Amino acid sequence: MRLAGDIVSVLDAPNAGQSELVVSSPPEWPAALDEHKSRNVAKMADQLAANPQPMHFYNALREVRDVVRRHPELYLVNEGANTLDVGRDVIDMEVPRRRLDWGTWGIMGIGMGYAIGAAAPMGQPVLTVQGDSAFGFSGMEVETLCRYRPPVAVLILNNGGVYRGDDVDPAGPDPAPTVLARTPITNGLSRRSAGVGHHVRTRRCSASTAMRCSPNSGTRPTGSTRCGPRT
């Protein structure tokens, strides 16, 4: 719908008509939404409390959530498929404009650039949490981080591919296009660039690595966390 006219009349006319418009919903609908919400909250609580081996996305990101709660001043760069989807549900932000992800654009490969861009102007601490596929688009920026040493820590959740990471190519013996290497090498990139790298296998170690990502750590770590397929 297009409205032509000066801004005052264009806005006054719809506002005047609002009094004639009654918006209501069946009482059963909000009750059904509340019930559905309660089931989801309980399900997420179970997933966050679980301690499977290898880790899954929920209990790995729980440790990141706890670090962000202790350090609300952190900028959080979040990128990936599962890593972004689950991260938005699990990690709450207390300070506005501190979560940097792809928003409505639907692109991957911007996480490392976002991290450098967020840290460079004012030197504020940045925690970058990425999936292994998302990291692969611009992972060599780790060398840039190690060279200039901005306050950026990188945590990669490695499940061996996009989404589940265990797909099979139906056309032949080759890996499916969504499958990546099972053996994580991302932590080695940082060490080979005179940085610090960790390969995290357990939730307890994940908490330790996340603490090293705190703004007072004095290091620039890259941590690779092994995760199983998301079910």
Side-chain angles (χ1 to χ4, degrees):
M1 181 178 66
R2 296 182 179 181
L3 300 176
D6 67 276
I7 190 169
V8 175
S9 59
V10 166
L11 294 178
D12 282 349
N15 286 339
Q18 284 185 356
S19 59
E20 303 174 6
L21 179 65
V22 179
V23 179
S24 62
S25 63
E28 299 84 4
W29 184 55
L33 290 179
D34 287 339
E35 181 183 355
H36 188 69
K37 175 184 174 182
S38 298
R39 290 199 304 268
N40 286 343
V41 169
K43 182 179 179 181
M44 179 177 288
D46 292 340
Q47 292 173 313
L48 291 174
N51 190 26
Q53 301 296 331
M55 288 182 286
H56 59 45
F57 287 88
Y58 283 91
N59 68 329
L61 288 169
R62 185 186 72 180
E63 308 303 328
V64 178
R65 177 202 65 184
D66 293 344
V67 169
V68 173
R69 283 179 175 176
R70 291 192 294 270
H71 300 281
E73 73 280 4
L74 281 171
Y75 281 94
L76 175 68
V77 175
N78 194 194
E79 183 184 32
N82 294 320
T83 306
L84 175 62
D85 296 342
V86 179
R88 281 177 169 175
D89 289 337
V90 173
I91 305 171
D92 296 321
M93 306 300 293
E94 298 293 333
V95 181
R97 298 185 178 184
R98 297 280 168 152
R99 185 197 299 270
L100 306 175
D101 60 32
W102 60 27
T104 58
W105 297 105
I107 56 175
M108 278 207 297
I110 45 79
M112 297 299 291
Y114 271 18
I116 295 170
M122 295 178 291
Q124 295 297 310
V126 179
L127 174 56
T128 304
V129 182
Q130 296 181 280
D132 47 355
S133 178
F135 177 77
F137 282 94
S138 54
M140 287 308 297
E141 293 297 347
V142 164
E143 190 276 333
T144 305
L145 296 178
C146 294
R147 184 162 19 111
Y148 289 99
R149 301 188 66 78
V152 177
V154 183
L155 181 63
I156 301 110
L157 302 189
N158 189 321
N159 71 325
V162 182
Y163 285 110
R164 290 187 54 84
D166 59 356
D167 302 310
V168 177
D169 186 355
D174 294 329
T178 55
V179 172
L180 300 175
R182 282 288 178 182
T183 303
I185 60 172
T186 49
N187 53 309
L189 292 177
S190 183
R191 291 199 300 267
R192 287 173 174 81
S193 301
V196 180
H198 305 280
H199 180 199
V200 180
R201 295 179 182 272
T202 66
R203 183 178 62 82
R204 192 170 185 179
C205 290
S206 179
S208 176
T209 299
M211 281 304 299
R212 293 188 183 97
C213 295
S214 70
N216 300 319
S217 65
T219 63
R220 305 293 179 264
T222 298
S224 177
T225 300
R226 183 75 176 91
C227 290
R230 183 182 177 188
T231 57

